[in-house]
Amino acid sequence: MKSIVFLTSLFLIAGCVPAMACVYCEVEPKAHWIFYTGYSADDEWQTNLNSRFRVENISFWHDYVGKLVSRESVEDALYNVNLLEEKTPNEFFRYLIDNNDTVALQYWMCLKTTDADSYEEQRWRRSVWYYPEEGYLYWYYNSEDDQLDFSIVKIKEINEDCIASCPDKNIRNRYVLQVLRKFFYAEDYDGCVRIWSEYGDSVPQSALRTQCLNYYAGALLRLGDKAEAEIVYAGIGYSNVFLDYNPAILQEIYYTYPDYDGFEFMVQQFVNQYFDNPKRSKANAFNALADEIIKDGKNSNPALWKSAQAAIAYINNNTPKALQLLSQAEKMRGSAIVKENIRMMRLLFNSTRTDNDSHYEETLYPDLIWLTENVKKDFKAHDTACCEWYDVFCDISWEDMFYSDLPRHRMKILRRVVFLGIVPHFERVKMDYKSIAYLNMFDEITYTDKRVRQFAREGKITVSNEGSCKIYRHPSISRGTYSELDYIVDEASPFREIYKEVSSEHFDSTTYKLNFDYQGNLFNSLDTATIEDVLKYVDLLRSGGRTPMEKYIVKNSYCDMDYYYDIIGTKYMRLGEYDKALSYLKRVDPNFKNRQNITDYICRERNPFAERWITKKSECGMYNLSFDPVVKFDSLPGKIEFCNIMQQLQKNCYSAETLEERAMSAYAYAVGLHQSVIGCAWPLTDYGRTYSDIYSYLDEEWLDSDEMCCQKIVDKFLDMAMKYKEDKVFTAKCMMLHSKYRKGLRIQYGYKTAFKPEIRETFCDVFIDYAAN
Amino acid sequence: MKKKILIIAIVIAAALVTIVLYNVFVDKLNIPKNSIYYWQTDFYLDDDEIGFLDQHDIKRIYLRFFDVDINDDNNFSDKCAPVATLDIDMYNGKDFSDFFEKIDIVPVVFITQEAIREYSSFTDDLAHRLYAMCHDFKLTINEVQFDCDWTGSTRDDFFQFLKDERLALKKYFGKDIMLSSTIRFHQLAQTPPEVEYGVLMCYNTGHFKDFDTKNSILDVEDIKPYMKYLKSYKLPLSLALPTYSWFVEFDENKKFVRLNRYCYDDYQIKNVEGNVYEVDVEYQGQETKYVRYEQVSSETILHAKKMVEDQCGSLPTVLYHLDSKQLSKYSEDEIDSFFN
């Protein structure tokens, strides 16, 4: 149940509740919208109005009593009408009583009764039997706010007669507001309209009148008169309502208020709604209206209308026309936000062009640099503010902690440019390494977790280990308890599945908590790109870039070569190219590996040369070779030693003196390759990811390609092994391994049972013997 | 020959009287022939369920509004509290207001034995709450039903509660509200409550917590001993028949763990005997070792119905309860036969 809060006394401060805020939800920004969405109309409008009304109300009653009481006592009275009693200590009420001001007292008594009545209705405060009544439920189900001001729902005692019978015109106007509120919350919208039509003219321009109009417009809206409602809202300067912003409404408002400030917001909403539901007739009507407004010259923001026409052309897949209209818009008068939006749209439109322009990057360069620098400024301003007062606890998302208030509009535009424009472009022209470059820059600037890591390294924040909280395990492999790791690499668990949520009590390493190298767009792209693209990209990084754009990208990228060499070496390992793998892995600084806290720790727990798929106590010594790969790996577990062993085994396959040793070497090689790619020792050639992560962004083909490669090599070495050694048990083991990585079977039966039925039949007795021994 | 004619005449006369009395009872109390209970906390009918009501000419839903139990919320001083209040999905999904205009709704309140002892503490609140809920759901009602497993020790409390509640309901609804009450078989041996009619619950006849019970929902052997009270029972009755099923879970010591309405698709189960299965399930720290699946066959339902109606003639029928998943276990013909 949502929590409900009473603010009974506050309502007296007088209809300070927005008439629409709880009914119309905020427009949800959508990633694909192309018109600016960072802009909303004056969010503070209602707050400001309430504030103005409060001051006005206090002044009114203070003036009403000739300022013969303290202003504070008036304020107290407004906040707590229950002070109105015969022996009241409140100076203001005391004055009204002493002067027998029955008109004012009647008004205040009316409010007090209402307040008391409202309070009385909230029986749930005192009884568990309370059942919320209709008015409340309406708000309850429609409010996005967890905290509801219950007191506003029922206002019983004030009615139309109060207005008609009040001799004081100022107090009468106050009754008008209260009656409007009563009708509004009782859903008597016709009543609202009637009251305002009858008495509205007499309410002078004031915060009180604005409050009244707010309810009146809200009532109109609910009666379906959207255009009239919007005009009333426009008149009181409020435009943050969620309507169907069709051109007809915009036109009606334009005729009434040609230079209405709220047009910026409304046009934004119109364009974005058009994006979701493009109807030619709407576009035509809007374009005609925009042309008329620009021609009239009565609106001081013509660039807004022209740029919206450009956005519509873009939505209708006419990018050249869109760019042309943007150029026209750029030369027109326009507010700062519109001018900035024009530049952003130009960048977005250019980035998504599909004409394979050979000057693609040069075209983007000035606007992209401009936008990226602005995004950096947004972050920097925010970083400076937040670093001063946060300790980082492991159980709270960095994003929530640091960046909940970050202005994200420009970052979202940059994201759209990179993801909707640049990356698809370079995929199209087969230059994936360029995509990686842009993703790296984007991550480096906007990946909030990495930024927080940087703060920690720079000592700007401290990381606390206090509390036994739950954390979300980062997809990178990190230290856990032995049992957790055991579980993680358990062959019976689904493909490389890692359980996200683990107890944090064992995570004593701040390195772990701040390790974000193996997640994010950069890592995902490196992990899935071909090795050729990664090599090209690393060359680009090492060269520092050739064009101004490349130089800028490199300057803003994550350039730790140890990181890239480790990834390249690991990718070669997956392909069984151990010479090349070693040439990169040997360049990785051991300190880097220690710092990253990946792979090696798990490697110590899982020996890639042990036949893990058969449950036997020990497989040590099983290979009968001049060196035991199991023991050798255990003595120095890690990628480099693994590659050394595999090289040695490969050599033995062709040059060992006995066929037995060649067969065993081939078999051990097949085991090692299998185990290190898809078997229990997979951390040697992979960086941990969650099961769902893999399938959320990888296509099956990619997954297959490496495994197919591995499979072919394993097949080759198993064939070799069986050729050199004719032994029933040995052949059975080879066949069993052969069947292990058949994907369909593996998925169907799981690791432990994934052998082919025909193999099971043929070698059934052998397996039984083998398992029994 | 004369004797034979006389016997036939008596039988026909008895049948006619039964029919007439039945019709009088039905007409007077305006009880539809076919009704159904709705016993979940969220009111939402899917198209199948609405279709089911149409197809079987069901004119009334006995709609459980809330239960009343001892209050365990320390924030409130009330001795008893409403729990599991019905929520009608009016705002986020279908609007059932049109539907409510077409069908007769009878609010039902279940009161525990512990709570009925404290009836005086909530009589007025309960009436007000029913009124508020009906107002909220835009329901016009003429009747309220109370469901209480009262026994000899709580009978007086329950009967007094009914008297007081009738007045309280009149106060809030501004009119006389008819009362009905569920009647359990063991209650047939007692004086009937002062309500307009009762609904004889032809289910929950066994002890579900007992591992040795074969079927706690309905076992005709369990109801046989009470048949003798039916003829002379001084309260018009409707008959409620069970169309639900459930799983009763027990631990390894055959101690009751919980009732479960969900099936065990994800678990390996092994039949032990009859409707008892072996399964390994853990729920809130309690391990379930055995499960008894209980469902009542249409034959058993019809058998029970016949047993009752043999004693007191044809009765309006109420199915328990409206749940398309559960009802789908019976064919259309079987459902029709329950109502006929």
Side-chain angles (χ1 to χ4, degrees):
Chain A
M1 288 288 281
K2 294 179 177 184
S3 61
I4 303 160
V5 170
F6 263 115
L7 297 169
T8 43
S9 58
L10 279 184
F11 93 98
L12 290 166
I13 271 298
C16 299
V17 184
M20 71 295 289
C22 292
V23 180
Y24 293 100
C25 58
E26 285 287 320
V27 180
E28 256 188 46
K30 295 191 180 179
H32 59 273
W33 281 351
I34 48 109
F35 216 63
Y36 54 85
T37 56
Y39 174 69
S40 62
D42 189 356
D43 284 339
E44 299 295 313
W45 182 86
Q46 187 70 50
T47 312
N48 292 340
L49 173 61
N50 291 344
S51 180
R52 274 196 297 130
F53 184 62
R54 177 176 166 275
V55 173
E56 184 184 285
N57 216 11
I58 294 169
S59 296
F60 167 77
W61 287 107
H62 197 213
D63 290 346
Y64 182 85
V65 294
K67 297 184 179 169
L68 293 172
V69 300
S70 70
R71 194 177 168 85
E72 289 72 27
S73 71
V74 177
E75 196 168 350
D76 286 349
L78 283 164
Y79 273 106
N80 187 3
V81 72
N82 288 318
L83 290 171
L84 178 57
E85 53 192 17
E86 200 176 342
K87 293 180 180 173
T88 179
N90 180 273
E91 201 183 349
F92 170 70
F93 284 141
R94 185 79 263 144
Y95 179 89
L96 294 180
I97 293 167
D98 290 348
N99 287 278
N100 200 22
D101 186 342
T102 52
V103 175
L105 281 171
Q106 191 176 349
Y107 175 78
W108 284 101
M109 277 306 292
C110 205
L111 292 185
K112 183 181 176 183
T113 311
T114 303
D115 188 35
D117 188 43
S118 174
Y119 188 85
E120 179 62 29
E121 280 189 16
Q122 317 320 318
R123 299 172 64 232
W124 67 272
R125 288 191 85 180
R126 302 193 306 279
S127 169
V128 73
W129 285 88
Y130 173 74
Y131 183 80
E133 291 187 20
E134 188 180 11
Y136 159 68
L137 279 177
Y138 180 79
W139 284 88
Y140 180 82
Y141 282 103
N142 289 284
S143 171
E144 290 196 323
D145 194 349
D146 278 348
Q147 297 188 335
L148 293 174
D149 182 353
F150 216 104
S151 65
I152 61 177
V153 179
K154 294 283 175 185
I155 304 170
K156 278 188 174 171
E157 295 302 315
I158 294 176
N159 55 42
E160 271 182 271
D161 294 343
C162 299
I163 306 174
S165 61
C166 181
D168 184 302
K169 66 175 182 180
N170 289 319
I171 294 177
R172 190 166 61 224
N173 291 338
R174 276 162 167 72
Y175 276 122
V176 171
L177 174 63
Q178 300 299 348
V179 174
L180 280 170
R181 291 179 59 234
K182 175 188 172 178
F183 283 164
F184 186 84
Y185 293 117
E187 298 177 34
D188 182 359
Y189 305 124
D190 288 320
C192 277
V193 172
R194 183 168 42 77
I195 289 294
W196 186 248
S197 304
E198 200 166 331
Y199 300 101
D201 288 347
S202 64
V203 181
Q205 285 297 339
S206 57
L208 175 74
R209 183 180 175 84
T210 308
Q211 292 280 20
C212 291
L213 283 166
N214 199 6
Y215 287 105
Y216 170 61
L220 287 171
L221 209 55
R222 285 154 184 79
L223 290 170
D225 195 348
K226 291 179 179 179
E228 186 61 29
E230 191 56 48
I231 288 169
V232 176
Y233 280 132
I236 57 176
Y238 189 87
S239 55
N240 194 6
V241 282
F242 185 57
L243 287 173
D244 175 17
Y245 290 97
N246 63 61
I249 288 179
L250 295 174
Q251 190 172 34
E252 281 205 49
I253 296 167
Y254 172 71
Y255 289 154
T256 317
Y257 302 99
D259 204 18
Y260 173 40
D261 282 347
F263 278 140
E264 281 181 349
F265 174 76
M266 296 174 76
V267 170
Q268 167 190 281
Q269 301 306 93
F270 168 75
V271 172
N272 290 332
Q273 285 175 3
Y274 180 74
F275 190 98
D276 285 337
N277 186 17
K279 283 189 181 165
R280 178 68 65 184
S281 57
K282 274 194 174 182
N284 291 341
F286 181 85
N287 283 332
L289 175 66
D291 286 340
E292 182 189 340
I293 291 172
I294 293 166
K295 193 178 166 192
D296 281 356
K298 290 179 190 169
N299 185 280
S300 61
N301 206 359
L304 167 72
W305 301 91
K306 188 56 81 178
S307 62
Q309 287 180 322
I312 288 169
Y314 179 76
I315 293 166
N316 291 329
N317 293 321
N318 193 345
T319 306
K321 187 181 176 189
L323 286 164
Q324 189 192 346
L325 289 167
L326 276 185
S327 300
Q328 292 173 20
E330 215 169 5
K331 292 168 194 154
M332 293 176 170
R333 276 182 303 150
S335 64
I337 192 168
V338 169
K339 289 287 181 182
E340 182 177 289
N341 193 51
I342 288 171
R343 200 165 179 188
M344 288 177 180
M345 281 202 284
R346 188 172 64 195
L347 175 60
L348 182 66
F349 296 176
N350 276 320
S351 74
T352 53
R353 284 165 62 183
T354 54
D355 50 6
N356 294 345
D357 179 7
S358 57
H359 300 291
Y360 180 77
E361 281 187 292
E362 287 91 320
T363 309
L364 301 187
Y365 178 72
D367 289 336
L368 186 59
I369 302 298
W370 162 79
L371 178 59
T372 310
E373 286 301 313
N374 273 312
V375 172
K376 284 163 73 176
K377 272 184 207 164
D378 284 345
F379 269 95
K380 198 169 178 185
H382 194 269
D383 292 344
T384 312
C386 74
C387 275
E388 292 169 2
W389 51 281
Y390 278 120
D391 274 356
V392 179
F393 286 88
C394 56
D395 60 334
I396 301 171
S397 147
W398 316 128
E399 182 85 10
D400 291 347
M401 177 181 274
F402 284 87
Y403 293 104
S404 56
D405 299 328
L406 176 79
R408 290 166 190 276
H409 173 52
R410 295 187 181 98
M411 187 189 83
K412 285 178 181 172
I413 301 290
L414 182 60
R415 180 184 287 149
R416 283 174 223 174
V417 168
V418 171
F419 285 88
L420 297 182
I422 295 173
V423 170
H425 170 82
F426 284 115
E427 277 180 2
R428 211 164 40 241
V429 297
K430 311 279 184 216
M431 292 170 77
D432 282 348
Y433 78 99
K434 283 271 193 173
S435 298
I436 302 174
Y438 281 93
L439 290 171
N440 189 347
M441 181 177 80
F442 179 76
D443 265 15
E444 203 57 15
I445 291 167
T446 66
Y447 193 177
T448 52
D449 285 344
K450 287 181 100 171
R451 297 181 73 83
V452 176
R453 175 186 62 180
Q454 194 58 34
F455 302 153
R457 286 184 179 161
E458 290 168 4
K460 289 179 179 171
I461 55 171
T462 55
V463 178
S464 169
N465 293 319
E466 289 172 14
S468 57
C469 46
K470 292 274 185 184
I471 62 169
Y472 281 101
R473 187 186 190 81
H474 296 295
S476 51
I477 295 296
S478 306
R479 285 176 195 277
T481 62
Y482 177 82
S483 60
E484 282 158 1
L485 282 175
D486 200 40
Y487 190 70
I488 288 164
V489 297
D490 187 345
E491 286 172 309
S493 64
F495 182 63
R496 296 173 197 159
E497 183 170 5
I498 296 171
Y499 280 75
K500 277 186 173 177
E501 202 166 278
V502 292
S503 167
S504 68
E505 57 192 288
H506 303 288
F507 289 82
D508 54 356
S509 160
T510 54
T511 312
Y512 160 70
K513 287 169 190 160
L514 299 169
N515 186 356
F516 303 105
D517 279 347
Y518 300 97
Q519 55 182 296
N521 300 305
L522 171 63
F523 172 71
N524 290 347
S525 59
L526 288 169
D527 198 30
T528 53
T530 63
I531 202 157
E532 291 77 20
D533 276 315
V534 178
L535 288 170
K536 276 186 197 167
Y537 174 58
V538 171
D539 282 346
L540 173 67
L541 284 182
R542 291 175 64 186
S543 72
R546 291 167 289 270
T547 64
M549 189 76 231
E550 285 181 355
K551 283 179 181 158
Y552 182 80
I553 291 171
V554 172
K555 193 179 147 199
N556 286 284
S557 290
Y558 181 50
C559 292
D560 190 336
M561 282 300 140
D562 287 325
Y563 172 66
Y564 294 103
Y565 291 155
D566 189 68
I567 286 177
I568 294 169
T570 306
K571 283 174 103 66
Y572 275 126
M573 285 174 71
R574 285 180 69 83
L575 300 172
E577 297 189 36
Y578 297 106
D579 295 344
K580 288 178 182 170
L582 277 170
S583 71
Y584 283 93
L585 293 171
K586 282 179 178 172
R587 289 190 235 174
V588 180
D589 185 342
N591 290 329
F592 169 82
K593 281 194 282 186
N594 290 337
R595 190 171 75 236
Q596 294 298 73
N597 190 16
I598 53 171
T599 312
D600 282 358
Y601 180 75
I602 288 182
C603 293
R604 287 188 199 108
E605 310 298 334
R606 294 290 176 190
N607 192 307
F609 298 101
E611 292 177 329
R612 297 291 300 185
W613 58 90
I614 292 175
T615 310
K616 287 180 73 71
K617 285 179 182 171
S618 169
E619 294 288 344
C620 292
M622 65 184 177
Y623 292 109
N624 191 23
L625 286 166
S626 54
F627 72 97
D628 188 334
V630 179
V631 176
K632 196 169 183 204
F633 183 84
D634 274 346
S635 66
L636 199 60
K639 291 181 182 180
I640 290 179
E641 189 59 11
F642 176 76
C643 291
N644 285 331
I645 296 169
M646 292 298 274
Q647 273 187 323
Q648 182 66 40
L649 289 170
Q650 193 173 7
K651 199 174 155 193
N652 278 4
C653 290
Y654 300 104
S655 59
E657 288 182 2
T658 65
L659 287 179
E660 169 80 13
E661 183 146 7
R662 286 188 189 191
M664 279 299 171
S665 297
Y667 177 66
Y669 185 93
V671 171
L673 183 58
H674 164 83
Q675 293 286 64
S676 65
V677 176
I678 60 173
C680 71
W682 60 263
L684 278 168
T685 65
D686 206 339
Y687 302 90
R689 292 179 299 242
T690 63
Y691 187 56
S692 54
D693 281 347
I694 286 173
Y695 286 101
S696 65
Y697 68 82
L698 291 187
D699 58 42
E700 290 268 337
E701 280 181 22
W702 178 86
L703 207 60
D704 286 346
S705 65
D706 272 8
E707 292 189 14
M708 287 295 285
C709 176
C710 161
Q711 182 180 323
K712 280 179 188 165
I713 302 170
V714 172
D715 276 349
K716 181 181 153 191
F717 279 85
L718 285 176
D719 287 346
M720 196 187 293
M722 287 189 281
K723 192 175 100 185
Y724 289 142
K725 184 179 165 94
E726 289 185 5
D727 173 273
K728 204 176 177 186
V729 171
F730 183 72
T731 307
K733 287 165 74 175
C734 289
M735 292 295 284
M736 194 166 172
L737 174 58
H738 181 80
S739 68
K740 284 293 293 178
Y741 49 74
R742 296 298 178 197
K743 193 179 166 197
L745 287 171
R746 189 182 70 230
I747 288 170
Q748 192 175 347
Y749 298 114
Y751 278 98
K752 282 183 176 171
T753 53
F755 46 83
K756 283 181 168 180
E758 65 269 29
I759 296 175
R760 183 163 48 185
E761 283 168 20
T762 312
F763 293 95
C764 188
D765 53 338
V766 179
F767 285 136
I768 291 167
D769 290 346
Y770 183 76
N773 294 327
Chain B
M1 186 64 184
K2 275 184 183 175
K3 199 176 176 186
K4 256 187 184 176
I5 292 169
L6 187 64
I7 291 168
I8 292 168
I10 290 169
V11 169
I12 292 170
L16 285 171
V17 168
T18 306
I19 292 166
V20 169
L21 284 176
Y22 166 72
N23 287 333
V24 167
F25 158 57
V26 169
D27 289 346
K28 187 183 168 193
L29 300 175
N30 196 23
I31 300 173
K33 189 169 155 289
N34 300 351
S35 308
I36 197 160
Y37 278 104
Y38 189 93
W39 210 262
Q40 298 181 56
T41 45
D42 290 313
F43 183 82
Y44 184 86
L45 298 183
D46 59 28
D47 291 341
D48 287 345
E49 286 159 342
I50 291 175
F52 180 87
L53 298 176
D54 279 345
Q55 192 175 345
H56 297 287
D57 198 28
I58 295 171
K59 303 288 188 199
R60 170 176 289 185
I61 295 178
Y62 290 92
L63 184 58
R64 192 198 63 89
F65 269 34
F66 51 85
D67 301 343
V68 182
D69 202 352
I70 296 296
N71 176 34
D72 57 2
D73 186 344
N74 294 330
N75 294 318
F76 298 96
S77 58
D78 306 75
K79 286 178 182 168
C80 297
V83 292
T85 296
L86 177 75
D87 189 10
I88 294 187
D89 194 4
M90 280 177 152
Y91 298 90
N92 297 319
K94 280 184 180 177
D95 183 349
F96 289 105
S97 47
D98 287 345
F99 174 77
F100 286 151
E101 283 176 13
K102 291 177 197 159
I103 201 154
D104 187 20
I105 299 287
V106 173
V108 184
V109 177
F110 171 74
I111 306 171
T112 66
Q113 282 220 62
E114 293 73 23
I116 201 63
R117 293 179 205 279
E118 305 288 347
Y119 72 91
S120 59
S121 71
F122 62 78
T123 309
D124 194 69
D125 286 329
L126 191 150
H128 182 255
R129 197 163 210 272
L130 283 174
Y131 171 75
M133 287 180 74
C134 289
H135 182 64
D136 179 41
F137 299 156
K138 298 185 174 64
L139 282 177
T140 305
I141 62 153
N142 298 309
E143 177 187 337
V144 173
Q145 184 170 105
F146 293 103
D147 177 22
C148 180
D149 189 6
W150 53 271
T151 60
S153 66
T154 48
R155 183 185 61 190
D156 291 347
D157 289 325
F158 181 65
F159 287 12
Q160 188 58 46
F161 160 75
L162 291 172
K163 281 182 187 168
D164 295 351
E165 193 61 29
R166 194 186 286 277
L167 295 174
L169 287 168
K170 187 173 183 179
K171 180 174 97 181
Y172 286 105
F173 284 87
K175 63 179 182 182
D176 285 325
I177 297 292
M178 197 163 94
L179 297 187
S180 60
S181 165
T182 54
I183 304 290
R184 286 158 176 78
F185 277 101
H186 70 82
Q187 291 167 344
L188 288 172
Q190 310 244 7
T191 316
E194 285 188 32
V195 290
E196 276 72 358
Y197 71 99
V199 179
L200 182 62
M201 287 169 52
C202 204
Y203 48 89
N204 286 358
T205 59
H207 299 285
F208 61 82
K209 291 184 181 179
D210 185 348
F211 185 81
D212 295 325
T213 298
K214 283 181 185 167
N215 191 327
S216 67
I217 296 177
L218 176 59
D219 188 337
V220 287
E221 293 303 317
D222 291 335
I223 62 173
K224 267 183 188 166
Y226 301 103
M227 291 300 115
K228 62 186 174 194
Y229 300 110
L230 273 172
K231 265 187 183 165
S232 57
Y233 197 62
K234 291 190 177 65
L235 185 68
L237 289 174
S238 291
L239 179 64
L241 299 172
T243 52
Y244 65 96
S245 62
W246 62 24
F247 296 88
V248 191
E249 295 186 359
F250 300 90
D251 65 12
E252 59 185 354
N253 299 319
K254 300 181 179 176
K255 197 178 155 198
F256 173 74
V257 175
R258 64 166 178 155
L259 285 171
N260 184 1
R261 292 186 195 280
Y262 303 101
C263 59
Y264 295 83
D265 291 343
D266 297 336
Y267 300 94
Q268 286 193 327
I269 61 172
K270 194 172 82 182
N271 188 228
V272 179
E273 187 189 3
N275 59 346
V276 179
Y277 299 84
E278 204 174 299
V279 64
D280 282 321
V281 180
E282 191 185 321
Y283 176 74
Q284 294 183 350
Q286 276 189 290
E287 286 188 4
T288 294
K289 185 73 178 168
Y290 300 103
V291 166
R292 185 174 64 228
Y293 175 58
E294 297 187 353
Q295 188 195 350
V296 188
S297 68
S298 58
E299 291 77 19
T300 307
I301 293 172
L302 290 172
H303 187 184
K305 180 179 162 75
K306 186 170 182 307
M307 280 170 66
V308 172
E309 291 186 341
D310 279 351
Q311 300 301 318
C312 50
S314 180
L315 298 177
T317 307
V318 192
L319 294 190
Y320 181 92
H321 64 117
L322 183 52
D323 178 339
S324 55
K325 203 174 169 184
Q326 298 273 9
L327 288 164
S328 67
K329 292 171 182 169
Y330 299 95
S331 70
E332 299 298 340
D333 289 344
E334 285 172 335
I335 298 286
D336 282 338
S337 65
F338 300 156
F339 282 125
N340 289 329

